[in-house]
Amino acid sequence: MSYSTADSLRPVTLDDVRGAQKMLTGVARVTGMEGSRYLTQLVGSPVHFKCENLQRTGSFKLRGAYVRIAGLLPEERAAGVVAASAGNHAQGVALASALLGVRSTVFMPKGAPLPKISATKEYGAEVRLHGHVVDETLAAAQEYAHETGAVFIHPFDHPDVIAGQGTVGLEILDQCPEVRTIVVGIGGGGLAAGVAVAVKALRPDVKIVGVQAAGAAAFPPSLAAGRPVSIRNPATMADGIKVGRPGDVPFGIVADLVDEVRTVTEDELSTALLLCLERAKLVVEPAGASPVAALLSDPRAFEGPVVALLSGGNVDPLLLQRILRHGLSAQGRYLAVTLRLTDRPGALATLLGVLSVVDANVLDVSHVRTDPRLGLTEVEVELHLETKGPVHCAEVGQALRDAGYRVID
């Protein structure tokens, strides 16, 4: 299943995906399907999670990487492979190469999370840190391929990769034959394209819904233009779908077979990640939680049974901490307030007394006394509070104002 440059735009077929499935037997896990009672009640029909966050290397990327590398000619394998990635694709290429006995070099941005760098090395790849953004890293990897003859393994823009990712779609149909809608995150489009090829060939009645982060949504303008177009400075916490331009190969498939592409906000992404952790006991990265975010944002728009594809679970612990705080804040369960009060003994105790009356739990307090914005007898206090929802947040704010405090936005 190896393609030359000349036929790299060759259509991906169901036979390609079935061939990839055979190739992946014993390599990729057939990941489980978990029901979500909370989302089932919200959507009004059964909702299931396809747990690719529990795949080897923590994401679906192993599937496409393995199929692509396994399809190389002997002389191509001998030259080794090279890839560029900030995380999931890096680990997929590293493990796939190790399993196939192929030398791999992975370029990663200098700011890539340390756990992802360590994991990629542990899977057997030589890691080279280059650039501060993925575009710079990608250029370095392609230059390395040109100089050394190593085969560049693209994260999504190749038929072999798409066929490998499409095996997820075959598993979904096998595990949930009654499915009516599959919701999948979209970055460059490889996963959505592969799933669509497999599912639409066997079940054209099943609706495929793609989801992008609003700050990195290249597919809506591309679909409107009828060709892949680039967006400037994509920005989102969901680095797994933070792609500025759709791939040429997956774009055509998505345009033909994916029924709808939706966008979700950063608040919706963090809330979805929090729901996966609290309700389903699943660690999911922001990109993997994007289908859940779409369900939460408009639950009645999806015909069930619904399968939400949780594409990955590789999230840096420090980032996870920030995202969870963001999600708690979006749900009104975490509140940060800044206010000014007179710098005198007992002033802070009085303030805390007001908060205790409205049952707000104080997590952290910080004082600022030396700031040119402050009066001679003023102190600025920042409070981080644990609250019980939007109504409780409003009650806390009102209690502070009633007590005469000036809350600073």
Side-chain angles (χ1 to χ4, degrees), residues 335-357:
L335 179 65
V337 294
T338 302
L339 44 81
R340 293 177 184 175
L341 54 133
T342 303
D343 191 8
R344 58 177 174 77
L348 181 58
T350 301
L351 170 61
L352 296 179
V354 172
L355 294 172
S356 68
V357 170

Side-chain angles (χ1 to χ4, degrees), residues 352 354-362 385-388 392 396:
L352 296 179
V354 172
L355 294 172
S356 68
V357 170
V358 289
D359 202 24
N361 186 32
V362 179
L385 309 173
E386 182 181 4
T387 47
K388 302 173 182 178
H392 189 213
V396 170

Side-chain angles (χ1 to χ4, degrees), residues 50 52-53 58-61 88 116 183-188 191 209-213 216 236-243 264-266 268-270 272-273 276 283-294 308-316 319-320 323:
K50 174 60 172 170
E52 281 295 287
N53 59 311
S59 86
F60 70 97
K61 289 288 190 178
N88 289 348
K116 293 185 178 182
V183 191
V184 55
I186 299 185
L191 177 61
V209 178
V211 184
Q212 292 208 286
T236 175
M237 70 175 75
D239 57 353
I241 53 175
K242 185 181 175 182
V243 178
V264 292
T265 66
E266 299 298 284
E268 289 163 347
L269 284 168
S270 58
L273 188 149
C276 290
V283 176
V284 182
E285 62 189 272
S290 58
V292 179
L309 206 171
L310 309 183
S311 59
N314 291 320
V315 57
D316 179 64
L319 176 61
L320 179 61
I323 293 171

Side-chain angles (χ1 to χ4, degrees), residues 139-373:
Q142 291 173 324
E143 182 179 354
Y144 177 89
H146 178 73
E147 292 175 349
T148 66
V151 179
F152 179 67
I153 307 300
H154 200 285
F156 50 81
D157 204 9
H158 195 281
D160 288 357
V161 173
I162 293 170
Q165 320 304 30
T167 59
V168 181
L170 296 180
E171 290 178 15
I172 289 173
L173 293 182
D174 182 59
Q175 294 168 313
C176 185
E178 68 277 14
V179 64
R180 298 292 298 173
T181 304
I182 297 173
V183 191
V184 55
I186 299 185
L191 177 61
V195 169
V197 166
V199 172
K200 289 293 189 178
L202 296 170
R203 288 280 306 280
D205 60 302
V206 174
K207 187 175 182 179
I208 310 292
V209 178
V211 184
Q212 292 208 286
F219 262 94
S222 296
L223 292 170
R227 58 180 174 80
V229 298
S230 300
I231 59 171
R232 290 186 177 182
N233 303 319
T236 175
M237 70 175 75
D239 57 353
I241 53 175
K242 185 181 175 182
V243 178
R245 182 185 184 278
D248 292 324
V249 182
F251 174 78
I253 298 171
V254 170
D256 288 342
L257 300 180
V258 172
D259 297 278
E260 181 184 4
V261 175
R262 290 173 167 253
T263 61
V264 292
T265 66
E266 299 298 284
D267 280 354
E268 289 163 347
L269 284 168
S270 58
T271 299
L273 188 149
L274 183 61
L275 182 143
C276 290
L277 188 61
E278 282 193 317
R279 299 298 183 104
K281 316 306 177 191
L282 292 169
V283 176
V284 182
E285 62 189 272
S290 58
V292 179
L295 292 172
L296 289 172
S297 67
D298 192 6
R300 296 294 173 173
F302 300 87
E303 180 184 0
V306 177
V307 172
L309 206 171
L310 309 183
S311 59
N314 291 320
V315 57
D316 179 64
L318 294 176
L319 176 61
L320 179 61
Q321 184 181 38
R322 295 198 297 270
I323 293 171
L324 290 178
R325 180 170 291 185
H326 190 270
L328 290 169
S329 180
Q331 289 189 343
R333 295 165 56 189
Y334 177 89
L335 179 65
V337 294
T338 302
L339 44 81
R340 293 177 184 175
L341 54 133
T342 303
D343 191 8
R344 58 177 174 77
L348 181 58
T350 301
L351 170 61
L352 296 179
V354 172
L355 294 172
S356 68
V357 170
V358 289
D359 202 24
N361 186 32
V362 179
L363 301 174
D364 188 37
V365 180
S366 64
H367 290 75
V368 176
R369 286 187 169 86
T370 55
D371 191 303
R373 298 172 301 143

